[in-house]
Amino acid sequence: MIFRDAVANRRDASKAFWDTQNVGQDDPAQVMLGLGLIEASHGEVEGERMSDVLMGAHAGGLFLRFAGSAYDPGFHRAVENDLPGLGTEIRTRPPEGWSPELAFGSFFMRETRFPAAAGRVVHAALGLVVVRRNSLAERVMFDLEGRDGLLAQTSTSPEPDAFELGSAIGQTFGAPIWGWDGPKRAILSTLALETIDGMARIRTLEGLPALTREQEAELALLNRGPAGDILRCGRSDSQFRRFQEFARGMGLYEQLALAPDNYPVAETLARRDEAVASVMRSFLDREDEPAYAPCMG
């Protein structure tokens, strides 16, 4: 898990939304954003649910304990949003068993296809925690493992490039800093797996030379759902479509269009960046209007 300060300003709900006050360093409580991966046996973690946690410190460092049962947070159109898109809807509260010497938080869990040990599954987590100010390090990756009903810290490693100034939450998920054994990987998308699968199925059906009636009906249904809505955003951009065709003509499209449930290592990301730069150089030479490098995820 990795954390950063999440609240710079505080607003009184009875006042106008622009009427805010800075949260000063003398404020005893600090609200922090937390991102993480949790590997567990199938069924041990509930996906698409919110889990409350209690946090504290012992001789070995940070520990975290789930409090109560996972619950439906009632997010609006959750399957159409990745975890960063749901970030503004996350709320936290002191769970049962909380006491002032403990920190607390709430995390939304979503199943992924991140590489896991046999019989286990990895969930991505996004949440908020409330801690004593300056008691939890920022931009440090905490590795924890299950011990006696707790997740207890086993090691830490600084990640100074996480949460770059001005970056979005998805860019930290998308950095190759995640995983346990072996090389670290990036998480290109935290969309729900059913949405990712729907997008892949749409592309497959659209690539067929001819569709049966059943396939036409399936494609129409998918296009009316979350997967179709997401794909439609990119397809409405004529310049984005030209960029894709240009990449195909250069034979570099496959390097750019990594699947959303692909979890690449740093070397793969570097090759994609090189391919993007190569396509952009040629694309800019050919295009009369200003161009940009769209996300190919």
Side-chain angles (χ1 to χ4, degrees):
M1 305 200 82
I2 192 167
F3 302 90
R4 79 157 193 203
D5 191 19
V7 178
N9 295 279
R10 180 172 49 226
R11 180 174 69 88
D12 186 330
S14 65
K15 297 181 179 180
F17 70 88
W18 61 80
D19 189 1
T20 63
Q21 291 182 324
N22 291 335
V23 175
Q25 288 297 310
D26 56 344
D27 194 307
Q30 185 176 14
V31 180
M32 302 189 77
L33 180 72
L35 282 63
L37 289 184
I38 298 177
E39 182 185 272
S41 300
H42 282 278
E44 196 172 353
V45 174
E46 293 187 68
E48 303 303 305
R49 309 278 282 181
M50 187 75 80
S51 294
D52 295 332
V53 299
L54 295 168
M55 299 172 58
H58 58 24
L62 178 72
F63 73 81
L64 181 151
R65 182 172 72 244
F66 290 101
S69 300
Y71 55 93
D72 181 359
F75 290 158
H76 179 62
R77 299 169 70 132
V79 295
E80 295 181 24
N81 286 283
D82 58 9
L83 290 188
L86 298 173
T88 57
E89 296 191 62
I90 292 178
R91 303 289 185 271
T92 190
R93 60 192 182 186
E96 183 178 349
W98 177 77
S99 57
E101 69 272 12
L102 294 173
F104 65 88
S106 300
F107 286 88
F108 186 72
M109 307 290 183
R110 175 162 281 171
E111 185 176 344
T112 74
R113 295 191 177 108
F114 197 90
R120 298 172 73 82
V121 64
V122 174
H123 285 76
L126 177 67
L128 295 175
V129 298
V130 180
V131 302
R132 293 190 306 276
R133 182 162 296 280
N134 299 324
S135 65
L136 184 60
E138 294 189 73
R139 296 179 174 84
V140 170
M141 187 67 77
F142 291 86
D143 285 339
L144 305 101
E145 67 177 21
R147 296 177 184 170
D148 302 321
L150 300 175
L151 291 175
Q153 177 183 321
T154 58
S155 64
T156 62
S157 57
E159 294 292 351
D161 294 331
F163 305 112
E164 289 185 277
L165 186 63
S167 68
I169 299 171
Q171 289 175 262
T172 294
F173 273 123
I177 60 175
W178 301 99
W180 298 274
D181 299 326
K184 301 297 185 182
R185 296 177 178 273
I187 305 168
L188 296 184
S189 175
T190 54
L191 285 167
L193 293 181
E194 64 182 280
T195 303
I196 289 175
D197 290 343
M199 294 164 64
R201 182 60 177 163
I202 288 173
R203 293 187 179 106
T204 297
L205 290 171
E206 290 180 339
L208 295 176
L211 299 179
T212 65
R213 287 186 178 180
E214 291 78 9
Q215 289 171 332
E216 288 177 349
E218 180 187 4
L219 180 58
L221 181 63
L222 287 168
N223 274 321
R224 289 195 298 270
D229 288 343
I230 292 169
L231 290 175
R232 201 153 34 245
C233 290
R235 291 170 176 175
S236 65
D237 187 331
S238 60
Q239 192 173 54
F240 175 67
R241 294 196 303 272
R242 288 199 303 274
F243 183 90
Q244 288 180 309
E245 291 305 317
F246 204 84
R248 287 190 180 96
M250 294 180 66
L252 294 174
Y253 183 77
E254 294 303 318
Q255 292 186 44
L256 304 185
L258 297 175
D261 56 348
N262 180 300
Y263 304 96
V265 298
E267 291 78 6
T268 303
L269 290 177
R271 286 196 296 271
R272 183 184 67 171
D273 291 344
E274 290 173 4
V276 168
S278 178
V279 174
M280 282 304 302
R281 283 193 295 269
S282 298
F283 187 61
L284 287 167
D285 288 342
R286 299 284 186 89
E287 292 291 304
D288 295 327
E289 55 189 275
Y292 60 93
C295 173
M296 300 297 293

